[in-house]
Amino acid sequence: MRTGTIARGLGLATALAALITGLSMTPASAGRAAPDRAPAAAAPAAFTHPGVLVSRPQLDFVRAKVQAGAQPWKGAYDQMMASKYASLGRTAKPRAVVECGSYSNPNYGCTDEREDAIAAYTLSLAWYITQDSRYAAKAIELMDAWSAVIKDHTNSNAPLQTGWAGSSWPRAAEIIKYTYSGWPNAGRFATMLRDVYLPKVINGSNSNGNWELSMTEAAIGISVFLEDRTSYDKAVGKFRGRVPAYIYLTSDGALPKTAPGSGLDTRDKIINYWQGQSTFMDGLSQETCRDLTHTGYGLSAISHIAETSRIQGQDLYPEIADRLRHALGLHAKYQLGAAVPSSLCGGSLKDNLGPVTEVGFNALHNRMGIAMTNTQTLTEQRRPAGTDNLFVAWETLTHANNPS
């Protein structure tokens, strides 16, 4: 958020003029909120299917590469097929109420739901690449099992849990509904997404940024599957308000932007929200000083949302490209072993980004031509990218050097 200050000696008339012209009237110690833009034209006139994270041209590219034995896609495919998520013997474990507390305590169905959703997506990819209908049938079995049972998510982590599982379900459903003939209960699955998942995620969250970004990813994916333009537009509005508040650029000013409705109206509140970090640099994330794992969740969701929007005909990458490239590059640099300066999180970074760089790297570097040396090195070193067992899965397979 750009900081706007009003000099102490500013007269009333000048102050009013400044307000009229849109300068911030917040205290000098506070940052300015990212604009809560009205995304009236965000939703496409006609939705593209399959169109959540992966499109048919992307899937065709992957299938051709795997069939040709080309790398890194064949190795990524073999990794996926050897995972528990591709098993044709999997048994769904649905619950009427999934209860997820902080730090997974309690965990009543939380892991089961996330993993069944990832499995459905995995199996849908396996179906498309192999054209073996057993995989489609198993994906349908998992989706049908949950749509027949689940009614609610409860406890403190319910919004995040709904966001994670709700990000994976539409990816699977889009592939199956639009590339496989025969899913009698597709309507019931749509009802589940509309009634159980969408209400929990559509209004966002003022918690740590990865929460709202994951919830927004789920909202956009669900909106595509439901062809719900109103919800799609609302989710894009949340995205546009949150990304500038999650990744800092020096052009923002002395302090980061804040998301609309955050209530972060003083310098102290903003710094506390940024995990105590008071020195800001290009690409710093609101959660960098918390740990790299949660930062990775946020960066991944940003990439996924932008990828889906591109498939749907309204490319959000140009709007967030500068922030995303700096964020990926900054964090990749330290993941590759660069010394952390004392000005950054006290000189120590925790944990690991996870398998989250492929989608953003492919979009920004391969499609848009942006040089991203650190991100490229990290991405290529860590191939094939697997799954975080939450909402990220098989992105070397689906997005490595994928031009479509």
Side-chain angles (χ1 to χ4, degrees):
M1 121 189 130
R2 296 190 186 95
T3 58
T5 61
I6 297 178
R8 285 190 172 86
L10 195 62
L12 178 59
T14 307
L16 288 171
L19 179 60
I20 292 169
T21 55
L23 294 177
S24 172
M25 297 298 290
T26 54
S29 61
R32 191 168 70 203
D36 194 4
R37 305 179 192 176
F47 285 95
T48 297
H49 303 290
V52 175
L53 187 60
V54 290
S55 65
R56 189 184 291 267
Q58 288 175 312
L59 291 168
D60 287 339
F61 172 86
V62 171
R63 183 165 64 188
K65 291 295 186 182
V66 171
Q67 289 176 343
Q71 299 297 350
W73 305 275
K74 180 59 165 61
Y77 169 77
D78 290 342
Q79 174 197 43
M80 180 184 81
M81 296 304 288
S83 76
K84 63 183 179 181
Y85 298 112
S87 172
L88 291 170
R90 186 177 192 87
T91 301
K93 297 178 181 178
R95 283 177 177 256
V97 177
V98 174
E99 183 179 356
C100 307
S102 299
Y103 303 101
S104 300
N105 183 24
N107 180 344
Y108 297 138
C110 313
T111 301
D112 291 338
E113 179 189 31
R114 293 193 307 265
E115 294 194 349
D116 278 348
I118 291 173
Y121 175 53
T122 302
L123 292 157
S124 71
L125 290 173
W127 142 249
Y128 197 88
I129 293 169
T130 65
Q131 296 294 288
D132 183 336
S133 62
R134 294 178 300 164
Y135 294 109
K138 178 57 71 169
I140 289 170
E141 178 185 313
L142 298 179
M143 291 189 285
D144 283 354
W146 279 91
S147 70
V149 171
I150 190 166
K151 300 298 181 186
D152 199 8
H153 297 87
T154 64
N155 215 316
S156 57
N157 268 20
L160 182 60
Q161 171 73 17
T162 310
W164 281 341
S167 293
S168 296
W169 286 130
R171 298 177 203 159
E174 281 279 299
I175 294 172
I176 295 300
K177 182 176 180 179
Y178 292 99
T179 72
Y180 181 74
S181 59
W183 183 12
N185 291 316
R188 189 178 73 194
F189 189 84
T191 298
M192 175 191 82
L193 293 181
R194 182 181 297 107
D195 294 349
V196 178
Y197 289 80
L198 190 58
K200 278 285 199 296
V201 298
I202 191 59
N203 292 316
S205 166
N206 286 323
S207 185
N208 277 306
N210 81 85
W211 274 54
E212 181 158 272
L213 288 163
S214 290
M215 292 164 69
T216 300
E217 179 185 349
I220 283 182
I222 290 168
S223 297
V224 170
F225 187 72
L226 298 179
E227 298 196 331
D228 182 339
R229 289 173 177 80
T230 300
S231 294
Y232 187 96
D233 287 348
K234 185 170 185 177
V236 170
K238 288 290 182 185
F239 178 79
R240 285 172 156 164
R242 174 58 67 176
V243 175
Y246 194 70
I247 300 171
Y248 175 81
L249 290 178
T250 54
S251 59
D252 295 337
L255 289 170
K257 295 187 178 185
T258 59
S262 69
L264 301 175
D265 54 5
T266 69
R267 182 178 186 274
D268 287 348
K269 288 180 182 179
I270 292 168
I271 289 174
N272 182 63
Y273 188 62
W274 282 66
Q275 314 296 324
Q277 179 73 7
S278 58
T279 301
F280 302 98
M281 61 210 70
D282 282 331
L284 185 74
S285 159
Q286 180 250 317
E287 295 184 283
T288 301
C289 296
R290 179 186 186 186
D291 60 64
L292 295 181
T293 300
H294 286 87
T295 299
Y297 299 161
L299 300 184
S300 183
I302 290 170
S303 301
H304 293 167
I305 292 164
E307 191 74 2
T308 294
S309 81
R310 187 189 66 88
I311 294 168
Q312 295 305 325
Q314 190 218 27
D315 193 349
L316 295 174
Y317 276 119
E319 294 184 23
I320 54 95
D322 208 30
R323 293 183 192 276
L324 184 57
R325 76 177 179 91
H326 278 298
L328 289 171
L330 178 74
H331 296 89
K333 173 183 176 180
Y334 296 114
Q335 287 281 267
L336 290 167
V340 181
S342 59
S343 60
L344 177 58
C345 309
S348 177
L349 295 174
K350 300 175 185 175
D351 300 338
N352 191 290
L353 275 180
V356 303
T357 62
E358 288 279 15
V359 176
F361 173 68
N362 183 56
L364 301 181
H365 177 70
N366 294 327
R367 296 197 196 113
M368 297 178 70
I370 298 171
M372 301 174 70
T373 305
N374 289 330
T375 305
Q376 181 170 0
T377 299
L378 181 68
T379 301
E380 292 176 350
Q381 277 187 6
R382 296 193 169 185
R383 285 178 175 166
T387 177
D388 65 359
N389 302 309
L390 300 172
F391 73 110
V392 178
W394 324 124
E395 293 180 356
T396 297
L397 177 65
T398 56
H399 288 84
N401 306 330
N402 196 322
S404 301

